[in-house]
Amino acid sequence: MSREPLKFGRYDYAGFSAFTMYSVCSLAIPLMIVAMGKSLNFPMDGGGMAQGGILHVVRSSFMIVTLVLSGIITAKFGKRLTIGSSLICFGTGIMCCAFTTQYWMLLPCLILAGLGEGICEGILTPFIQDVHPEAPERYVNIGHSFWSVGIAAAVVLVGGCLTLGVSWRLTIGIIGFLPLLASLSFLWKENPAHPYPESKEKPDLPVLWQKTKLIARKKRFWLCCCAMFFGAGAEFGLTFWAAAYIELSFKTSAFIAGLGTGAIAVGMFLGRAGFGYYAKPERLRWILLGAGLGTIPVTLLLVLLNPGTMPGWVLFTLLFILLFFAGIGIAPYWPTTQVYGVANLQDCDSTLLYIYYSAMGIPGCGFFSWLMGAVGDKFGLKGTILVVPACLVIFCAIIYYECWISAAKEKRLKSSEA
């Protein structure tokens, strides 16, 4: 049976722009971290990788604050205005990084960016679901694919500017300004004939607490939280460290290193758009399990590539192909795990579930960004990349266990009906 054609409107495009800007700002510092390290005295090849990872730990810690509170904030002000304001917040934080002269000065800038990104992270997915409640598994995956568009845009902008000799300060200042423009798609006066379908619920802490307690009693909720933590670690850890790994291990330019991150982005875009188009509720667990198992050997092969063992063009061709397939493999971890977790708990509040799942994914991003940097300082850059398949093994084990629980539950239901 043919599927309904996809239909997009103003708030779909607003969501796409927000995902893109969120991604550009998230990846700006990883793509420039080698240049920033040299300028601010924490060089990546001189024991500064752990300090680089700490930047995202600080950022993600403050993301969690507004992420957890985003349900209350949006119940009071609405999703549309809240997301528009969050774009201004994290854009300003990233823009302020251009004026730092010491490492510690980056921290307050990233705290401001993290506060805005936390709201964006918590609300963007339910924002899209509210527009398309009839098929969230399709539109959420497609919306998340624009995270990959942002990565590609960041690669072109950052890599191009650094290669041309443009200061990283000017580059990051321009990047920070872009979300301010994107905020207009949310804050601009809406068409009364086609308003955003805001929830009519008002903030009620006792009700939110009761809903939260109901969610916390569910074993499958905690399994999906664990899957989010390790899946986010694999996805963001690879994306965060790919450019530095390529630039330092293969002795190449920032632009070529950025193209490696771009290869991941293209794979993620095609993966999320493809999974979003073909996704059905009953297929989600198999998409997650198949993607996880398929990506483990791909990320292991990345470690086996060595400069000098083959011609340069062959080496970089293989590298980009592996990164492309890694991008396809890591594509569904974040959006599909969230949608899968919500679909498994239909008696729970979906907006709160999205928020709490993201609240487990963000620490995974921060923790594994730091861990990969610390491992790199101690064991070298190849050790950094090996953290990714380790995360994937645990992710697959969790999803397999969840599948086993689901199958056992279905078997009990059938036997009781008989």
Side-chain angles (χ1 to χ4, degrees):
M1 188 174 71
S2 61
R3 308 203 69 182
E4 288 291 322
L6 297 167
K7 297 178 181 179
F8 301 114
R10 167 183 167 177
Y11 294 114
D12 292 294
Y13 299 120
F16 298 161
S17 71
F19 269 117
T20 303
M21 291 300 101
Y22 175 24
S23 174
V24 168
C25 289
S26 293
L27 269 294
I29 288 181
L31 290 170
M32 284 185 268
I33 199 163
V34 175
M36 293 174 70
K38 292 176 181 177
S39 176
L40 300 178
N41 199 31
F42 61 105
M44 294 296 101
D45 53 357
M49 292 185 69
Q51 285 177 279
I54 286 172
L55 292 177
H56 196 72
V57 172
V58 171
R59 187 178 190 168
S60 61
S61 297
F62 283 86
M63 287 179 70
I64 296 169
V65 174
T66 47
L67 176 59
V68 172
L69 296 175
S70 58
I72 297 173
I73 296 169
T74 54
K76 184 173 180 61
F77 299 105
K79 292 186 178 72
R80 181 176 70 89
L81 296 179
T82 301
I83 294 177
S85 301
S86 74
L87 287 168
I88 294 175
C89 184
F90 72 70
T92 302
I94 293 298
M95 196 159 39
C96 288
C97 291
F99 303 99
T100 58
T101 57
Q102 298 181 53
Y103 172 83
W104 68 265
M105 295 177 68
L106 289 170
L107 302 180
C109 299
L110 294 179
I111 288 172
L112 179 60
L115 292 173
E117 288 171 338
I119 291 177
C120 214
E121 177 60 48
I123 301 305
L124 263 178
T125 300
F127 177 88
I128 293 174
Q129 176 169 285
D130 286 352
V131 179
H132 298 285
E134 73 287 354
E137 68 278 359
R138 302 180 72 192
Y139 289 93
V140 165
N141 269 287
I142 292 170
H144 276 260
S145 71
F146 279 82
W147 168 273
S148 310
V149 173
I151 297 176
V155 165
V156 172
L157 181 58
V158 174
C161 286
L162 293 180
T163 301
L164 293 172
V166 178
S167 166
W168 68 265
R169 297 181 187 278
L170 177 60
T171 305
I172 205 168
I174 293 171
I175 287 174
F177 179 71
L178 295 177
L180 309 187
L181 297 178
S183 69
L184 296 176
S185 61
F186 292 90
L187 301 178
W188 197 265
K189 184 179 179 181
E190 60 183 353
N191 184 349
H194 301 285
Y196 177 76
E198 294 283 8
S199 172
K200 302 300 182 183
E201 292 185 15
K202 296 298 179 183
D204 188 332
L205 289 178
V207 172
L208 288 175
W209 177 241
Q210 291 300 321
K211 291 180 178 179
T212 299
K213 288 198 297 183
L214 174 64
I215 291 171
R217 295 190 191 105
K218 306 288 187 179
K219 181 178 181 179
R220 298 177 81 177
F221 165 72
W222 293 107
L223 283 172
C224 285
C225 282
C226 291
M228 283 294 299
F229 183 80
F230 287 98
E235 176 190 326
F236 195 79
L238 180 62
T239 309
F240 188 96
W241 285 111
Y245 173 68
I246 296 168
E247 186 172 351
L248 296 176
S249 293
F250 298 91
K251 308 299 180 185
T252 187
S253 67
F255 183 69
I256 297 297
L259 289 179
T261 307
I264 298 174
V266 173
M268 286 179 69
F269 176 81
L270 294 176
R272 284 181 174 172
F275 291 135
Y277 185 80
Y278 290 105
K280 291 182 179 180
E282 65 274 14
R283 295 177 182 169
L284 298 179
R285 63 167 66 100
W286 306 116
I287 288 174
L288 291 171
L289 196 57
L293 292 173
T295 312
I296 291 170
V298 172
T299 50
L300 287 173
L301 286 172
L302 285 172
V303 181
L304 299 178
L305 292 178
N306 287 304
T309 58
M310 61 188 75
W313 69 270
V314 175
L315 178 69
F316 282 99
T317 299
L318 289 174
L319 175 64
F320 291 160
I321 289 173
L322 288 174
L323 291 171
F324 170 76
F325 281 108
I328 292 177
I330 64 176
Y333 297 160
W334 195 283
T336 306
T337 304
Q338 285 188 316
V339 174
Y340 178 60
V342 171
N344 283 344
L345 300 172
Q346 295 184 359
D347 57 336
C348 297
D349 185 278
S350 62
T351 297
L352 284 179
L353 284 171
Y354 280 121
I355 290 170
Y356 295 151
Y357 288 142
S358 293
M360 285 301 295
I362 294 299
C365 294
F367 173 76
F368 286 104
S369 297
W370 165 80
L371 179 63
M372 290 174 73
V375 170
D377 282 337
K378 190 169 181 64
F379 300 105
L381 287 161
K382 292 188 180 297
T384 298
I385 298 301
L386 284 173
V387 174
V388 175
C391 286
L392 296 178
V393 169
I394 299 173
F395 175 85
C396 291
I398 294 168
I399 296 299
Y400 181 82
Y401 180 58
E402 202 286 330
C403 291
W404 180 81
I405 290 176
S406 177
K409 182 178 179 181
E410 291 175 4
K411 186 177 180 180
R412 286 196 301 270
L413 286 174
K414 288 181 180 179
S415 61
S416 63
E417 289 173 0

